[in-house]
Amino acid sequence: MKILKNEELNRPGIRTYQSLEKMNLTVVLDNVRSGMNIGSVFRSADSFLVEQLVLCGISACPPDREILKTALGATESVTWSYFDSTYAALKELKEKGYRIWAVEQCQNSIPLNSISVTDSPVALVFGHEVKGVDPALAPLIDGCIEVPQSGTKHSLNIAVCAGIVLWEFYKNKVLENS
C-alpha cells in the first residue's frame, strides 16, 4: 500500500476549483455555535462541490480562528455569505426557486437513503448543535431529511451529519451522472 502525498492527488487549485461546475445545492447553517463545526462543513462543501454556504444568526464567519483551523483553506474556495436571520436567508432562497429541506428529525421526515435527488436547486438547513433547526422556519421548509441511525444517541454531530448528507447528494448528482 502506498499512501498518496497531497501533490499526487491531482486536486485543482482554488481558481480552477472556483470555475468548476457545482451542484445546484446550498447549505444553510442555522445558528451553529461551534466554529470547528462550521470549518468542517466548509471542508465538506469544498469536497462535494457545494454551490454556496450560508451562515446565519450566531454562526461565526471567517476569519474566525476555529473555522480556519478546521476548514484548512476551504473558506477561500467555497462561496459563502452571512445573514443575521435564517428566516430572511431562506425567504430569499425560496424566492429564487430553491426547495428547502431541513436536515432534522421531524414527523414525516424522509430517510436520507430514500431521497430522490433532482437537478432543481436545493437548500439544506442544518441547525444548532443542541436545539436543531429553529421550528419558526417551518413555513419556509418543504420537508425534512433524516439520517437513519440505530444507536443509543439521538443525533449526530452537525459536521458529521453534513458530511454524510452532502456525500449522498454528491454521489447521486455528480458521480452517477459522470
Side-chain angles (χ1 to χ4, degrees):
M1 172 177 82
K2 178 189 177 207
I3 297 175
L4 298 175
K5 295 181 172 113
N6 286 345
E7 55 272 7
E8 294 175 298
L9 295 174
N10 297 318
R11 298 284 195 253
I14 289 177
R15 286 189 188 172
T16 302
Y17 176 86
Q18 290 171 335
S19 70
L20 293 174
E21 184 177 351
K22 308 294 187 297
M23 287 193 293
N24 209 355
L25 179 68
T26 291
V27 171
V28 178
L29 299 185
D30 173 34
N31 291 298
V32 173
R33 66 181 177 186
S34 165
M36 295 181 109
N37 281 336
I38 295 166
S40 292
V41 174
F42 264 101
R43 278 178 68 189
S44 293
D46 173 279
S47 293
F48 301 128
L49 297 172
V50 168
E51 177 181 49
Q52 66 175 326
L53 184 56
V54 179
L55 307 170
C56 301
I58 67 166
S59 302
C61 296
D64 178 86
R65 190 172 67 86
E66 286 188 339
I67 292 174
L68 298 180
K69 182 177 182 178
T70 52
L72 294 178
T75 58
E76 301 300 317
S77 58
V78 174
T79 300
W80 65 273
S81 60
Y82 173 79
F83 282 76
D84 286 329
S85 159
T86 307
Y87 194 91
L90 295 186
K91 190 169 187 224
E92 185 175 299
L93 289 166
K94 193 73 136 165
E95 289 167 358
K96 291 179 179 178
Y98 281 76
R99 290 199 43 120
I100 299 175
W101 293 88
V103 180
E104 187 61 85
Q105 297 165 331
C106 302
Q107 185 177 25
N108 301 319
S109 61
I110 300 169
L112 177 61
N113 56 309
S114 298
I115 285 293
S116 178
V117 177
T118 66
D119 287 330
S120 62
V122 171
L124 298 173
V125 183
F126 294 88
H128 183 274
E129 290 89 341
V130 175
K131 299 174 186 174
V133 174
D134 185 348
L137 302 173
L140 296 172
I141 292 174
D142 296 302
C144 293
I145 298 171
E146 183 174 342
V147 177
Q149 301 166 52
S150 300
T152 62
K153 298 300 166 197
H154 300 286
S155 66
L156 294 165
N157 171 280
I158 190 243
V160 171
C161 182
I164 292 168
V165 173
L166 295 179
W167 162 250
E168 189 69 21
F169 274 78
Y170 177 79
K171 179 179 73 165
N172 289 311
K173 281 190 168 210
V174 177
L175 296 183
E176 290 184 4
N177 292 322
S178 51

